[in-house]
């Protein structure tokens, strides 16, 4: 999976029993229950193999972590470094980001790149799941948690609907904000990317209709197997198109954002605008989105969100992750 976020919930394409019987060491966390920083540390702890005992405290100016005889407080980075030292896997911090982008890269560029990574992970997951459905053809059950073939198709439909909403919001954010910044710098830069968005939209909506059609077919119907195979093929094509499109943006378009020379204040304003356009992604889809990120990428994304001017909005987003993990 991409992230941990508590107990792993895997699809039928990733069948592996949860290690529910294993006992994890207990870590105590003290902090203001309404603080963004406290929520951030609580989210970080979800990635670690620990049991968290959160103790709300208004007396702590910054969150404090206690483990055995250790007590750590201070900056967020110092707490994350401590957690990585005591519980090495999975890492929350990485020494090298890689690629042409680095710590000086504009926030909006990182926003787009990390969203690409999450969408690719979900596309690959849905593709594996579709292949598994096609291989079984409704004649055999996969993960018992998926239920009957019709119940599994409903779960599949829900997962794809979430991914579709995420991808559509991402495209709208790029067209309304990212591409507009580039167009002001040099008219015509984003023409090809816009055309690719328009090209893939019918396929994305068509897959949703395919899933609806499969949902009303009886698993014993002669057309059922063909419909599943067609679904698997179309998802594979969408994944390949999307990966190529994302790679093209990251290679040819996003590096040009540095030439736009946005000030820190402008970057913060653009970040707020991106969150406004992608409301669903950062509300009811937020946990779904975060599941597609590896822990270091997830923490980086949360770092950026913490710059949002509306701290209540940030707290609400982080609370969505915490509440569903408890």
């Amino acid at each position: 999976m991409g992230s941990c976020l508590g107990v792993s919930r895997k699809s039928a394409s990733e069948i592996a029993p949860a290690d529910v019987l294993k006992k994890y060491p207990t870590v105590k966390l003290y902090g203001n229950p309404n603080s963004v920083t406290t929520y951030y540390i609580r989210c970080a702890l979800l990635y670690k193999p620990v049991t968290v005992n959160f103790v709300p405290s208004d007396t702590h100016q910054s969150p404090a972590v206690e483990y055995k005889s250790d007590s750590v407080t201070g900056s967020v980075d110092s707490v994350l470094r401590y957690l990585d030292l005591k519980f090495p896997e999975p890492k929350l911090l990485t020494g090298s980001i890689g690629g042409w982008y680095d710590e000086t890269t504009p926030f909006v560029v990182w926003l787009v790149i990390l969203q690409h990574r999450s969408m690719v992970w979900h596309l690959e997951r849905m593709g594996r799941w579709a292949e598994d459905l096609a291989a079984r053809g409704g004649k055999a059950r996969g993960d018992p948690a998926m239920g009957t073939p019709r119940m599994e198709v409903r779960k599949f439909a829900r997962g794809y609907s979430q991914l579709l909403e995420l991808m559509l919001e991402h495209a709208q954010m790029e067209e309304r904000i990212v591409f507009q910044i580039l167009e002001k710098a040099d008219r015509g830069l984003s023409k090809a990317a816009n055309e690719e968005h328009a090209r893939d939209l019918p396929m994305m909506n068509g897959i949703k209709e395919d899933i609806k059609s499969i949902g009303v077919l009886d698993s014993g119907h002669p057309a059922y197997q063909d419909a599943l195979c067609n679904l698997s093929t179309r998802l594979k094509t969408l994944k390949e198109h999307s990966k190529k499109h994302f790679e093209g943006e990251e290679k040819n378009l996003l590096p040009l954002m540095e030439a736009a020379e946005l000030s820190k204040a402008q970057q913060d304003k653009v970040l707020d605008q991106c969150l406004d356009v992608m409301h669903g992604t950062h509300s009811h889809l937020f946990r779904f989105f975060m599941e597609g990120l590896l822990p270091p990428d997830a923490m980086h994304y949360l770092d950026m969100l913490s710059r949002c001017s509306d701290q209540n909005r940030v707290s609400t987003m982080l609370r969505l992750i915490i509440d569903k993990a408890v």
Side-chain angles (χ1 to χ4, degrees):
M1 292 186 72
S3 66
C4 300
L5 293 182
V7 177
S8 173
R9 294 178 176 83
K10 301 194 177 185
S11 72
S13 58
E14 304 168 290
I15 300 171
D19 191 7
V20 295
L21 299 179
K22 186 173 181 179
K23 291 188 176 181
Y24 295 110
T26 298
V27 170
K28 279 189 175 182
L29 173 65
Y30 298 86
N32 185 322
N34 299 313
S35 163
V36 169
T37 306
T38 301
Y39 277 122
Y40 182 93
I41 299 299
R42 292 181 71 183
C43 287
L45 285 165
L46 292 176
Y47 292 99
K48 295 298 186 180
V50 300
T51 298
V52 180
N53 180 5
F54 175 57
V55 182
S57 172
D58 293 328
T59 61
H60 286 77
Q61 293 184 341
S62 58
V65 168
E66 286 187 1
Y67 175 60
K68 295 184 177 179
S69 60
D70 296 340
S71 181
V72 180
T73 188
S75 69
V76 167
D77 278 352
S78 65
V79 174
L80 296 188
R81 281 195 296 271
Y82 173 79
L83 294 175
D84 275 350
L85 177 65
K86 291 297 180 179
F87 311 102
E89 296 297 333
K91 289 285 187 184
L92 298 175
L93 300 173
T94 56
S96 175
I97 298 175
W100 58 264
Y101 26 80
D102 56 29
E103 290 86 349
T104 64
T105 301
F107 304 136
V108 68
V109 173
W110 266 115
L111 191 83
V112 172
I113 290 171
L114 293 177
Q115 288 177 7
H116 285 172
R117 292 178 184 177
S118 177
M119 288 184 289
V120 167
W121 184 86
H122 280 291
L123 281 165
E124 291 176 341
R125 181 181 70 91
M126 296 302 295
R128 291 192 300 271
W129 193 354
E131 287 178 2
D132 186 55
L133 282 168
R136 288 185 280 119
K139 298 176 182 178
R141 294 185 184 181
D143 187 342
M146 292 292 114
T148 65
R150 183 161 293 174
M151 292 166 67
E152 184 174 2
V153 169
R154 287 188 190 132
K155 293 178 189 292
F156 187 92
R158 183 166 62 248
Y160 182 75
S161 292
Q162 291 174 313
L163 175 57
L164 179 60
E165 184 177 352
L166 168 59
M167 294 181 73
L168 291 176
E169 284 199 342
H170 173 82
Q172 290 170 1
M173 178 272 292
E174 287 187 330
E175 292 166 7
R176 296 182 188 178
I177 300 170
V178 178
F179 294 169
Q180 293 302 314
I181 295 173
L182 293 172
E183 288 292 315
K184 287 180 181 178
D186 190 345
R187 191 170 182 81
L189 275 179
S190 54
K191 182 175 182 291
N194 271 314
E195 290 174 349
E196 289 176 1
H197 283 182
R199 176 202 66 189
D200 289 337
L201 182 59
M203 184 192 308
M204 293 161 63
N205 288 327
I207 289 172
K208 184 175 182 179
E209 294 305 311
D210 288 347
I211 298 170
K212 286 182 181 178
S213 298
I214 293 171
V216 298
L217 283 175
D218 187 275
S219 59
H221 194 282
Y224 193 78
Q225 178 67 52
D226 289 341
L228 288 174
C229 290
N230 182 58
L231 172 64
S232 178
T233 299
R234 295 190 74 180
L235 269 170
K236 182 178 180 181
T237 301
L238 177 61
K239 179 190 72 173
E240 291 171 350
H241 281 195
S242 298
K243 290 178 74 171
K244 184 178 180 180
H245 172 72
F246 296 159
E247 289 166 2
E249 285 187 348
E250 292 175 19
K251 179 181 179 181
N252 302 317
L253 279 183
L254 295 182
L256 299 176
M257 285 295 294
E258 301 220 23
E261 298 181 337
L262 298 176
S263 66
K264 291 294 185 184
Q266 288 173 319
Q267 290 188 49
D268 289 343
K269 182 179 180 180
V270 168
L271 177 62
D272 283 340
Q273 292 171 341
C274 290
L275 297 186
D276 287 339
V277 173
M278 300 188 70
H279 175 74
T281 299
H282 298 94
S283 55
H284 61 279
L285 291 178
F286 191 53
R287 183 182 175 88
F288 173 84
F289 165 74
M290 292 294 287
E291 285 175 348
L293 295 177
L294 292 170
D297 286 342
M299 301 316 296
H300 191 177
Y301 201 85
L302 296 183
D303 280 338
M304 288 190 297
L305 293 186
S306 68
R307 300 187 63 89
C308 176
S309 62
D310 187 346
Q311 290 293 286
N312 288 331
R313 170 193 266 181
V314 179
S315 295
T316 299
M317 285 188 279
L318 300 186
R319 189 161 59 245
L320 286 170
I321 296 177
I322 298 298
D323 289 348
K324 289 188 179 182
V326 175

